[in-house]
């Protein structure tokens, strides 16, 4: 499956996956505890600076970031139309900050490292008879397929743009759906062979 992970090593690559996941989870949660637009603006600026500090590593995610910015602007416009501009700004800033943190984590952390973190975090549940390795694998697969979705979307959009000179838009929805279903089927077959179930 495609990956957004960047081989261009940055300072964030060197931070342990567990520490990154903890910090980003705390920061992401803080976005939804803050209600002040001023605090959220400062938080969004900090997230933007963190993201920009990754340099060339952010190149694979540039279109994804653009789509998030456009979605944020649409949220602001919608709430302004509904006479709720403050709520629109707050929602857009939260979306932007949380998304940038998530993308930064994806760009600088291997899936294997995240799976190891999940397995360690869930290991106490083994005392209750829960097969935590399967649960950790499910979490990792969810993150992996979310990442793969954007990789396939970007690939199809680029191919359509080369052929027609226009963005793919809704035209690539059908091939995108088919490719994601095929990828899911292949992953399921592989897991069935490896796990023997």
């Amino acid at each position: 499956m495609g990956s957004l992970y960047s081989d261009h090593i940055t300072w964030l690559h060197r931070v342990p996956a567990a520490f990154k996941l903890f910090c980003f989870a705390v920061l992401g949660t803080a976005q939804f505890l803050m209600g002040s637009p001023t605090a959220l603006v400062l938080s969004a600026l900090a997230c933007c600076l963190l993201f920009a500090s990754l340099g060339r590593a952010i190149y694979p995610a540039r279109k994804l970031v653009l789509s998030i910015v456009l979605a944020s602007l649409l949220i602001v416009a919608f709430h302004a139309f509904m006479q709720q501009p403050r709520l629109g700004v707050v929602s857009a800033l939260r979306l932007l900050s949380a998304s940038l943190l998530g993308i930064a984590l994806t760009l600088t952390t291997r899936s294997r490292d995240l799976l190891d973190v999940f397995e360690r975090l869930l290991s106490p549940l083994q005392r209750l008879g829960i097969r935590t390795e399967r649960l950790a694998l499910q979490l990792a697969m969810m993150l992996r397929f979310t990442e793969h979705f954007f990789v396939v979307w970007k690939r199809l959009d680029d191919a359509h743009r080369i052929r027609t000179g226009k963005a793919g838009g809704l035209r690539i929805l059908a091939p995108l759906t088919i490719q994601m279903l095929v990828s899911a089927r292949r992953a399921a077959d592989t897991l069935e062979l490896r796990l023997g179930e």
Side-chain angles (χ1 to χ4, degrees), residues 100-119:
L100 289 178
L101 290 174
I103 296 171
L105 178 67
T106 302
L107 289 171
T108 61
T109 312
R110 297 184 186 277
S111 299
R112 176 70 249 179
D113 295 335
L114 282 177
L115 180 58
D116 290 341
V117 172
F118 290 145
E119 288 178 346

Side-chain angles (χ1 to χ4, degrees), residues 44-71:
L45 286 174
C47 291
C48 289
L49 288 174
L50 182 148
F51 191 74
S53 71
L54 301 180
R56 288 187 298 166
I58 68 176
Y59 182 79
R62 66 194 187 286
K63 286 192 175 181
L64 176 56
V65 173
L66 179 59
S67 67
I68 292 168
V69 171
L70 291 176

Side-chain angles (χ1 to χ4, degrees), residues 10 32 46 49 53 60 74 84 88 92 97 103 113 120 125 129 135-136 141 154 160 164-165 179 185 190 193 195 197:
T10 68
F32 295 90
L49 288 174
S53 71
L74 287 174
Q84 298 174 319
S97 299
I103 296 171
D113 295 335
R120 290 201 302 271
L125 295 178
L135 184 56
M141 289 296 291
K154 176 181 176 296
H160 188 276
T164 66
Q179 290 205 26
R185 179 70 260 178
T190 301
L193 287 173
L195 300 178
E197 293 182 6

Side-chain angles (χ1 to χ4, degrees), residues 24-156:
F24 285 6
V26 170
L27 292 172
T29 303
Q31 305 298 319
F32 295 90
L33 297 178
M34 293 187 290
S36 167
T38 302
L40 286 168
V41 167
L42 293 175
S43 176
L45 286 174
C47 291
C48 289
L49 288 174
L50 182 148
F51 191 74
S53 71
L54 301 180
R56 288 187 298 166
I58 68 176
Y59 182 79
R62 66 194 187 286
K63 286 192 175 181
L64 176 56
V65 173
L66 179 59
S67 67
I68 292 168
V69 171
L70 291 176
S72 300
L73 293 175
L74 287 174
I75 290 172
V76 172
F78 173 78
H79 282 88
F81 177 76
M82 299 296 292
Q83 308 294 320
Q84 298 174 319
R86 185 180 185 277
L87 179 59
V89 171
V90 168
S91 300
L93 289 172
R94 285 172 174 166
L95 173 64
L96 181 64
S97 299
S99 298
L100 289 178
L101 290 174
I103 296 171
L105 178 67
T106 302
L107 289 171
T108 61
T109 312
R110 297 184 186 277
S111 299
R112 176 70 249 179
D113 295 335
L114 282 177
L115 180 58
D116 290 341
V117 172
F118 290 145
E119 288 178 346
R120 290 201 302 271
L121 288 175
L122 296 171
S123 59
L125 295 178
Q126 290 179 346
R127 298 173 184 173
L128 302 177
I130 298 175
R131 302 178 69 177
T132 56
E133 68 278 359
R134 298 295 175 87
L135 184 56
L137 180 60
Q138 290 170 5
L139 289 171
M141 289 296 291
M142 177 188 68
L143 294 175
R144 194 73 174 86
F145 266 92
T146 302
E147 179 184 2
H148 181 61
F149 172 85
F150 288 106
V151 171
V152 174
W153 169 50
K154 176 181 176 296
R155 186 185 306 143
L156 290 173

